[in-house]
Amino acid sequence: MEQELKAHLKKLMASGDVAGIIALKSERGMAKPYLFADASELECLCLTPKYPMASVARLLLDEDGAARFAIVCRGCDERALRELAKRHQVDLDRLVIVGIPCDEEMARECACPEPFPSVVAVGTKLEQWEAEDIGAAYRAMELDEKLAFWKHQLEKCNKCYGCRNACPMCFCKDCELENALWVKHGRLPPEFPIYHMIRAFHLAGKCIACGECQRACPSDIPLMVLNTLLREDMEELFGYVSGTGADAENPLYTKEEMQ
Amino acid sequence: MKIGVYVCHCGVNISNTVDVQKVISEVSALPTVAVCRDYQYMCSDPGQEMIAKDIRELGLDRVVVAACSPRMHEPTFRGAVEAAGMNPYCFEMANIREQCSWVHEDKEQATRKAADLVKSSVARAALLEPLNSTEVPVTHAALVIGGGIAGIQTALDIANSGYPVYLVEKDPSIGGHMAQFDKTFPTLDCAACILTPKMVDVARHPNIELLTYSEVESIEGSVGNFHVRIRKKPRYVNVSLCTGCGSCATACRLVGRIPSEFDMGLGKRGAIYVPFPQAVPLRYTIDPEKCLMLKHGKCGTSPKCVDACDRDAIDFSMTEEILEVDVGAIVVATGYKEFDPTIKREYKYGTFKNVMTGLELERIFAPSGPTGGKALINGKVPKKIVFVSCVGSRDKRIGNPYCSRVCCMYIAKQAHLLKEKIPDADITVMYTDMRAFGKGYEEFYERVQKEGIKYRRGNAAEVYEEDGVLHVRAEDTLMGEPYELEADLVVLGTGLEPSDAADAIGHMLHLSRSADKFFLEAHPKLRPVDTVIDGVFLAGAAQGPKDIPDTVAQASGAASHVVNLLSKDVILAEPIVAEVNTDVCAGCRICEILCPYDAHAFDEERNVMTINKAICKGCGSCAAACPSGAIAMNHFRDSQIVAQILEVI
Ligand SMILES: Cc1cc2nc3c(=O)[nH]c(=O)nc-3n(C[C@H](O)[C@H](O)[C@H](O)COP(=O)(O)OP(=O)(O)OC[C@H]3O[C@@H](n4cnc5c(N)ncnc54)[C@H](O)[C@@H]3O)c2cc1C
Ligand code: SF4
Ligand code: SF4
């Protein structure tokens, strides 16, 4: 798939449609997000590990006023870009999405709801994919067990802000997690449950289930359980699945007509 | 920090359930509290003076009054502390009456709660910041939307006080529904005799610019400074040339072919028309939907109206005009529409020609109406007449649980007028409850009964036809028996609903509706002509079903509020507004979507949000939603609210 993708991108570059390509570059055995501006560099392009590309696009578009870029996107990256666009953080007209599918192993690792973007440019997407229900065990618990579960898990929090830093949906300049009014400075673990509650509230209707926060957490807090439950609530209560097309309005940001 | 705390007994309203002395001793112990006193009635003169004296002598920084709801007396105490030299926004109120003494019985618990509430207010008070109101200049002119009797009265009253008024009416003439009536209850004055002079006054008044056949396109701005765009629809008749002679109307090829809206479709007009002979302005209008020239570009060999008009007033090239005006205040007088009874299928309105609505019957009585004022229904004099009350009112099933307030009385009026014209008519009114609440109404109802009109309690269940004769089935709920009447005229006492054309106005002005969908006043008793939007007032049936006397009274009330506002050169803008910290704003524009008043404007250049202080009502929606915490609500800052909450948990 990698060779096929490189060929595809070379053609795209030659067309002159885009000023560069946002993708991962392998360097000394490691990968980093990179803006490929020259076809010769594409040899170093790599596809793994998974990386929150939408954040890269957001920062880059912000830097450069008008240029158009191509971006190599997985399913989650595309979902993230869509939600960011709804919040005026990226201009989708300035991005050419080059979609690639995830293989089964990756998809399973993320319990991804949809391990492929809307249009797959190279590779073949998984047929008959059903994600593992990671909320199942939690849902089966009694109320007091649920509380105990979170008390135990959130106790492990180091307040490293890794989850927030990795999250492609976090774009605020000042973060409420650093506001001493809510989260006391110099206290570890943070007071239960305010830190994670703020994150959960801010992610309702926003979390696109990429799993970056959970991967970033050094304490292995199962953050995706919380996020999956949130996504379920949004769907059940409002029929909204975040990451879907731009015409689906976020129900949390609409006002009921004043009657 | 020196905080003064004052606990009110409210006579015995508070002190019966709350041990005021105990509250005082607890609150006095707080380190920030410099003085804590109680008094029988804090809102009274000596009560206010007690606070003022402490501010002056003890140099207090903040004042907390523990008493009733801030909705009741916050303005009183803000005024009192301001008079004593303290910033009014350094005042805080704890509600220990509605939220404590009135809702609890156990004195010990209520006392504990009252003490907590006061302590929580003290915690918030310590963090309050002085705020200053900004001065806003006032444009000395008013806009009145709707030219029914409400709009007419309001416009005249404002104009007579010396201020310019723009009166916008969507139809070709002012007059509204009242112009459609022959007589008015309960005095039976002729509607035209009392309405026409007012209409003429409006047209002639030097301070009124009358804009008929016009609609409001957009309204921007806020109290004191609204910018309004008004669309003048083309009449295709040059009003400065037209003399209203009517030659064109008689000449029109379509004369007598188009149902007249003013006659409720019972009479016919041509494509060029005036709605009624006393129309103001008495200028003709061409109906663009019907006119052959405007629809097909051709009317025989030449348009007959043009041939007939010796003033050359007809101009098919006319287009709409946009007029932009600035006003300081707006009165919404958009009136009502008659309930459409087709959805009450049991009454077969629309199926049988001799089932008609109240407003249709009004046109039958009118000398200028389709029958020239003769009591003829489909060409025949009806002898057996049944009135059905509450059609579209007091009916939960169709979503109108409210009483329309005029139907009982207009039914009585119409029954009387029919009896007068057809003395041998057999007239029955099927009513739900008789409501004759106004001045002279009960007397009128009695008079009508004495004239031989039969009133039977219990409403009609069904209208059906048998052998060409209408039957009305009903139950007499006083006798507890069902009965049936034959009828050759069934009149439905149709109720009132808000006018459709009011919707757009409501959206433009961000007006709220009450459950009955009429516009909501700021307070049902004490502020019946204000809306929650400063500078916007209500008059007439736009606010709720009303008879003419109430409409006129409210219209004059609205005018006096407008004049009150326009008489000022500047007004003070409330400083409790939201402010964006542009260094923090990420430009997500969520706040913009949520603001009910469109106070937000996005600064594309800097990629940040800005809020127009003059429009912001301080509702706090945006501040609560901003994920970045970039919006601060003055006087309700997160830190102030958190301090208040922490004190009670
Ligand atoms: C059958 C019937 C008989 C009645 N008889 C009596 C009676 O005898 N005595 C009595 O006291 N009351 C009577 N009433 C009640 C009376 O009609 C009302 O009290 C009165 O008409 C209310 O006046 P208004 O100006 O508020 O509304 P309306 O008369 O409805 O006038 C509103 C005006 O605003 C205009 N308008 C609406 N929207 C817009 C817009 N967006 N832009 C510009 N213009 C707009 C309309 O075209 C209309 O001209 C009767 C009511 C009915 C239904
Ligand atoms: S506080 Fe309310 S009215 Fe003011 S800008 Fe925010 S949302 Fe709009
Ligand atoms: S919600 Fe907050 S961050 Fe978003 S645009 Fe408004 S002020 Fe800025």
Side-chain angles (χ1 to χ4, degrees):
Chain A
M1 186 162 82
E2 206 171 292
Q3 288 314 320
E4 204 187 330
L5 178 66
K6 284 177 186 167
H8 180 88
L9 293 177
K10 267 189 193 140
K11 249 193 258 159
L12 188 61
M13 233 178 210
S15 73
D17 264 3
V18 294
I21 294 163
I22 306 166
L24 288 182
K25 183 182 180 191
S26 118
E27 205 171 274
R28 281 173 286 137
M30 293 179 284
K32 66 174 186 188
Y34 191 72
L35 177 64
F36 294 86
D38 196 293
S40 64
E41 294 175 305
L42 285 173
E43 268 325 295
C44 311
L45 178 137
C46 63
L47 290 178
T48 47
K50 226 181 124 272
Y51 193 92
M53 299 308 284
S55 307
V56 182
R58 175 173 65 82
L59 294 168
L60 200 71
L61 290 179
D62 226 20
E63 281 300 304
D64 194 313
R68 259 164 72 88
F69 302 103
I71 176 167
V72 176
C73 276
R74 298 182 179 279
C76 52
D77 296 324
E78 184 186 53
R79 295 197 294 273
L81 286 173
R82 283 170 164 173
E83 283 304 315
L84 287 172
K86 288 177 196 170
R87 291 163 182 79
H88 304 271
Q89 301 301 308
V90 298
D91 179 356
L92 289 180
D93 291 339
R94 287 177 58 203
L95 290 174
V96 176
I97 291 179
V98 179
I100 56 168
C102 294
D103 60 32
E104 194 166 351
E105 194 189 330
M106 272 180 126
R108 196 170 310 118
E109 191 197 313
C110 290
C112 182
E114 205 169 89
F116 43 80
S118 55
V119 178
V120 172
V122 298
T124 36
K125 65 181 193 191
L126 281 177
E127 295 294 331
Q128 291 181 335
W129 166 252
E130 192 151 345
E132 179 200 349
D133 178 5
I134 50 180
Y138 179 82
R139 261 183 256 107
M141 290 181 202
E142 295 293 329
L143 198 59
D144 52 343
E145 288 177 305
K146 287 178 174 173
L147 184 65
F149 172 79
W150 287 122
K151 277 212 158 131
H152 165 69
Q153 291 296 347
L154 302 186
E155 193 93 310
K156 301 188 289 185
C157 177
N158 291 318
K159 214 166 78 176
C160 69
Y161 295 100
C163 49
R164 175 201 68 185
N165 296 351
C167 178
M169 296 315 303
C170 273
F171 53 76
C172 291
K173 290 180 194 157
D174 259 27
C175 176
E176 291 286 41
L177 294 177
E178 292 174 51
N179 183 346
L181 188 61
W182 312 124
V183 185
K184 296 236 165 32
H185 289 169
R187 199 195 134 138
L188 268 188
E191 230 172 321
F192 177 85
I194 186 76
Y195 180 101
H196 294 276
M197 198 155 92
I198 291 179
R199 260 192 68 71
F201 269 88
H202 283 205
L203 284 170
K206 211 169 171 190
C207 172
I208 43 84
C210 63
E212 293 296 348
C213 52
Q214 183 164 322
R215 264 193 295 283
C217 180
S219 310
D220 292 331
I221 301 176
L223 294 166
M224 284 312 289
V225 172
L226 188 56
N227 292 342
T228 303
L229 296 165
L230 260 186
R231 281 172 57 88
E232 270 170 17
D233 276 357
M234 285 300 292
E235 186 166 3
E236 261 167 43
L237 297 171
F238 305 107
Y240 183 73
V241 181
S242 73
T244 42
D247 42 330
E249 251 182 79
N250 186 334
L252 298 184
Y253 304 145
T254 45
K255 61 180 171 216
E256 227 181 338
E257 272 308 317
M258 294 199 300
Q259 287 286 327
Chain B
M1 179 67 50
K2 281 190 194 164
I3 302 179
V5 183
Y6 302 87
V7 186
C8 184
H9 292 239
C10 192
V12 290
N13 274 298
I14 291 170
S15 53
N16 255 357
T17 334
V18 170
D19 180 345
V20 173
Q21 292 317 322
K22 192 140 187 256
V23 173
I24 299 231
S25 73
E26 272 194 44
V27 174
S28 303
L30 297 173
T32 47
V33 173
V35 59
C36 187
R37 305 182 197 276
D38 64 314
Y39 193 68
Q40 279 285 315
Y41 291 103
M42 278 315 304
C43 59
S44 69
D45 226 28
Q48 294 187 39
E49 183 45 36
M50 178 194 267
I51 301 174
K53 192 158 165 267
D54 283 351
I55 294 176
R56 284 191 300 264
E57 290 175 4
L58 304 176
L60 298 178
D61 305 297
R62 303 283 185 271
V63 164
V64 174
V65 169
C68 53
S69 159
R71 273 196 76 130
M72 185 80 195
H73 274 316
E74 192 171 55
T76 315
F77 292 114
R78 276 198 188 147
V81 302
E82 191 173 19
M86 181 187 270
N87 184 291
Y89 295 92
C90 290
F91 166 78
E92 167 70 3
M93 200 152 177
N95 181 353
I96 56 166
R97 192 179 75 175
E98 284 85 342
Q99 291 177 1
C100 188
S101 69
W102 274 359
V103 288
H104 298 301
E105 279 168 7
D106 182 319
K107 193 159 182 171
E108 202 185 316
Q109 287 190 26
T111 304
R112 198 158 5 112
K113 176 168 168 184
D116 279 349
L117 287 172
V118 181
K119 283 192 225 163
S120 126
S121 288
V122 169
R124 174 171 142 83
L127 297 178
L128 289 178
E129 291 164 13
L131 299 174
N132 294 310
S133 314
T134 38
E135 287 194 339
V136 186
V138 176
T139 309
H140 300 289
L143 168 74
V144 175
I145 307 170
I149 180 62
I152 290 173
Q153 186 65 42
T154 309
L156 283 173
D157 284 358
I158 301 171
N160 284 336
S161 306
Y163 296 102
V165 182
Y166 301 96
L167 175 58
V168 178
E169 166 57 53
K170 66 175 172 45
D171 289 344
S173 170
I174 52 171
H177 285 101
M178 188 175 167
Q180 290 178 291
F181 311 154
D182 177 35
K183 299 270 165 44
T184 55
F185 63 75
T187 45
L188 300 176
D189 300 80
C190 130
C193 312
I194 53 177
L195 180 63
T196 318
K198 279 190 189 284
M199 291 165 59
V200 174
D201 283 352
V202 164
R204 292 211 185 124
H205 206 295
N207 283 339
I208 298 180
E209 182 163 345
L210 178 56
L211 300 161
T212 47
Y213 210 44
S214 300
E215 273 167 50
V216 175
E217 273 278 294
S218 67
I219 302 173
E220 275 162 25
S222 54
V223 54
N225 300 282
F226 293 102
H227 184 72
V228 187
R229 284 163 52 90
I230 300 163
R231 188 162 51 88
K232 293 177 77 174
K233 296 176 275 191
R235 280 179 190 261
Y236 304 102
V237 172
N238 185 332
V239 291
S240 48
L241 295 176
C242 173
T243 58
C245 72
S247 314
C248 53
T250 8
C252 175
R253 259 176 241 283
L254 296 178
V255 67
R257 308 258 294 270
I258 303 164
S260 150
E261 299 80 359
F262 190 81
D263 281 338
M264 308 303 295
L266 299 172
K268 298 271 169 50
R269 60 167 170 85
I272 185 162
Y273 67 106
V274 283
F276 54 106
Q278 302 85 0
V280 168
L282 188 59
R283 296 291 179 267
Y284 278 75
T285 304
I286 296 184
D287 180 346
E289 303 283 309
K290 296 284 160 27
C291 168
L292 300 169
M293 218 25 219
L294 287 169
K295 271 184 74 184
H296 309 295
K298 190 163 161 285
C299 173
T301 43
S302 91
K304 292 214 166 188
C305 53
V306 175
D307 299 342
C309 181
D310 43 17
R311 308 257 315 160
D312 282 340
I314 290 158
D315 176 1
F316 289 111
S317 70
M318 225 177 231
T319 50
E320 66 178 36
E321 274 174 64
I322 299 283
L323 191 75
E324 306 210 8
V325 303
D326 290 303
V327 297
I330 297 175
V331 179
V332 177
T334 46
Y336 67 91
K337 72 163 187 229
E338 189 186 33
F339 171 76
D340 175 0
T342 25
I343 63 164
K344 297 284 296 175
R345 291 232 196 92
E346 59 272 34
Y347 297 145
K348 310 286 190 318
Y349 175 77
T351 310
F352 302 128
K353 275 198 169 160
N354 38 355
V355 177
M356 60 184 355
T357 71
L359 215 46
E360 287 168 352
L361 188 61
E362 289 290 337
R363 293 313 296 150
I364 299 288
F365 292 128
S368 64
T371 58
K374 291 199 194 71
L376 291 175
I377 306 299
N378 306 315
K380 279 197 243 126
V381 178
K383 294 286 163 143
K384 289 181 233 156
I385 302 161
V386 173
F387 282 89
V388 179
S389 81
C390 297
V391 178
S393 310
R394 306 180 63 191
D395 185 344
K396 289 204 185 85
R397 269 182 312 160
I398 54 141
N400 289 352
Y402 59 88
C403 163
S404 285
R405 296 182 87 233
V406 293
C407 321
C408 282
M409 290 314 293
Y410 82 60
I411 288 175
K413 167 184 79 175
Q414 295 181 338
H416 162 83
L417 292 175
L418 280 173
K419 191 77 188 167
E420 198 175 60
K421 289 182 198 280
I422 320 164
D424 61 340
D426 180 4
I427 304 178
T428 306
V429 177
M430 298 177 173
Y431 69 102
T432 323
D433 294 296
M434 192 58 202
R435 293 185 173 174
F437 51 84
K439 192 168 181 171
Y441 288 11
E442 183 64 24
E443 295 87 325
F444 182 68
Y445 167 46
E446 218 166 285
R447 166 178 168 188
V448 171
Q449 280 175 296
K450 285 204 184 112
E451 286 167 359
I453 316 281
K454 282 176 261 172
Y455 273 79
R456 291 191 82 167
R457 190 170 183 282
N459 230 327
E462 193 191 8
V463 176
Y464 68 94
E465 192 185 38
E466 208 173 73
D467 306 326
V469 182
L470 284 190
H471 294 252
V472 187
R473 275 202 306 124
E475 187 190 325
D476 187 320
T477 50
L478 289 181
M479 311 294 285
E481 62 186 25
Y483 67 103
E484 270 196 28
L485 290 179
E486 282 185 9
D488 35 30
L489 171 61
V490 177
V491 183
L492 304 179
T494 37
L496 275 51
E497 288 182 340
S499 139
D500 292 332
D503 283 359
I505 302 293
H507 278 127
M508 275 178 227
L509 289 168
H510 309 292
L511 297 180
S512 308
R513 307 288 188 111
S514 33
D516 57 14
K517 302 197 188 68
F518 287 91
F519 287 127
L520 180 66
E521 61 288 334
H523 189 284
K525 298 184 197 90
L526 301 178
R527 297 178 66 197
V529 305
D530 302 84
T531 65
V532 291
I533 309 295
D534 293 337
V536 179
F537 305 94
L538 301 173
Q543 182 252 349
K546 259 181 214 70
D547 53 22
I548 296 165
D550 283 0
T551 296
V552 172
Q554 198 192 22
S556 289
S560 93
H561 282 226
V562 169
V563 169
N564 183 321
L565 176 62
L566 298 188
S567 66
K568 299 185 176 108
D569 287 325
V570 289
I571 44 171
L572 292 177
E574 171 70 79
I576 303 183
V577 290
E579 271 174 55
V580 180
N581 179 344
T582 48
D583 290 337
V584 175
C585 170
C588 70
R589 305 179 73 158
I590 287 168
C591 49
E592 189 183 22
I593 307 171
L594 295 175
C595 178
Y597 307 99
D598 292 342
H600 296 233
F602 193 64
D603 181 340
E604 300 277 352
E605 192 84 354
R606 294 188 297 153
N607 207 29
V608 291
M609 193 55 74
T610 62
I611 293 176
N612 184 337
K613 277 191 201 168
I615 302 177
C616 173
K617 301 293 289 175
C619 72
S621 309
C622 61
C626 174
S628 305
I631 303 181
M633 263 308 304
N634 281 337
H635 207 60
F636 292 95
R637 292 181 178 278
D638 287 346
S639 53
Q640 296 163 347
I641 296 173
V642 169
Q644 192 170 11
I645 294 171
L646 288 181
E647 204 58 48
V648 283
I649 55 176

